[in-house]
Amino acid sequence: MGRLRNLAQTFYEFATTHVEEPDVPAVADGDDGYDKSTKIALLLLKEEVNKPLRQFEDYLNEMPGILAVFGLENSPDYTSFSVWDGEFPMKELRRLLRRSAEQAGLSGT
């Protein structure tokens, strides 16, 4: 889990520097939505883990240390990931994934 947590941290840092408002909480009080940097970082992690969406949701819920990186207690619902996929251009996500993988010393992504 250490490698995956480090990767989640890298994705979150990249996503946070990528958005305009990095100090917005991951989930606003009384809001069912997530901030842009959290969405982007979780989408990048989803691509790296490469599991079906329902399994990815369960996977995250079994790893509170990874959720803590994003300031979350529970994983977003698997349907959220489908919606978020449409919010961000794949070109942008691939560029961020490539940059974060290069910085983390990973290859093949």
Side-chain angles (χ1 to χ4, degrees), residues 10-19 36-38 40-41 44 96:
T10 300
F11 290 156
Y12 188 69
E13 288 169 5
F14 265 82
T16 302
T17 58
H18 180 72
V19 299
K36 187 176 178 179
S37 62
T38 300
I40 290 172
L44 295 175
L96 289 171

Side-chain angles (χ1 to χ4, degrees), residues 42-60:
L42 285 169
L43 285 173
L44 295 175
L45 186 62
K46 174 184 74 80
E47 290 301 315
E48 180 65 27
V49 171
N50 195 26
K51 290 187 178 291
L53 294 178
R54 288 178 194 240
Q55 288 180 5
F56 183 61
E57 177 187 356
D58 291 341
Y59 188 74
L60 287 176

Side-chain angles (χ1 to χ4, degrees), residues 56-93:
F56 183 61
E57 177 187 356
D58 291 341
Y59 188 74
L60 287 176
N61 282 324
E62 293 172 3
M63 299 190 170
I66 292 175
L67 288 173
V69 168
F70 303 106
L72 302 174
E73 293 181 17
N74 297 305
S75 172
D77 186 76
Y78 72 93
T79 57
S80 297
F81 294 103
S82 294
V83 172
W84 298 346
D85 275 335
E87 285 185 36
F88 304 101
M90 185 52 69
K91 184 177 182 179
E92 176 182 7
L93 294 175

